[in-house]
């Protein structure tokens, strides 16, 4: 009973963090687009990775609560390990995409930025990350 109570508590916290994270991911993606800033896109990707990690964790908590069966004698606790592996895999895929975009920018020498949306988005990012 203690484990399910703790999982439920963590589940609520993860849902709240997921909502905040998803909202600001969209805001940062827009800020990165309007400012043409790969740094802001990178932080938006970071927030997206966090959101995906939260979603995987919520799913793993939900699946791990399932009772043991004849086939799964220890229950579904391995779902949390599989969730962690999926989260790390997602980080590597998004990192590869960001490196690819950075290399394209270096080769094409497209460095023009609009500083105002970039500074506004970055400042809001600091506030959200502190929360």
């Amino acid at each position: 009973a203690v484990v399910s109570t703790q999982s439920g508590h963590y589940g609520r916290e993860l849902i709240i963090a997921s909502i905040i994270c998803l909202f600001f991911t969209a805001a940062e993606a827009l800020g990165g687009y309007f400012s043409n800033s790969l740094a802001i896109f990178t932080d938006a990707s970071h927030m997206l990775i966090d959101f995906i990690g939260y979603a995987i964790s919520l799913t793993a908590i939900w699946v791990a609560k399932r009772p043991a069966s004849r086939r799964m004698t220890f229950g579904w606790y391995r779902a949390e390990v599989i969730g962690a592996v999926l989260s790390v895999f997602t980080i590597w895929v998004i990192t590869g995409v960001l490196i690819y975009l950075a290399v394209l920018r270096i080769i094409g020498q497209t460095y023009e930025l609009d500083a105002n949306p970039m500074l506004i988005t970055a400042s809001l990012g600091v506030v959200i990350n502190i929360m």
Side-chain angles (χ1 to χ4, degrees), residues 1 5-6 9 21 25 34 39 44 46 49-50 52 55 59 69 73 77 84 95-96 101 103-104 113-114 126:
T5 302
Q6 288 178 344
H9 177 67
C21 187
T25 297
F34 288 120
H46 165 244
I49 290 169
D50 287 347
I52 291 169
T59 304
S69 65
T73 55
Y77 291 109
T95 299
L101 291 173
V103 168
L104 285 180
L113 301 173
D114 188 357
V126 169

Side-chain angles (χ1 to χ4, degrees), residues 107-130:
I107 291 171
Q109 296 190 4
T110 54
Y111 304 118
E112 285 189 36
L113 301 173
D114 188 357
N116 289 333
M118 186 176 139
L119 287 173
I120 292 167
T121 306
S123 299
L124 289 172
V126 169
V127 171
I128 294 293
N129 281 311
I130 290 174

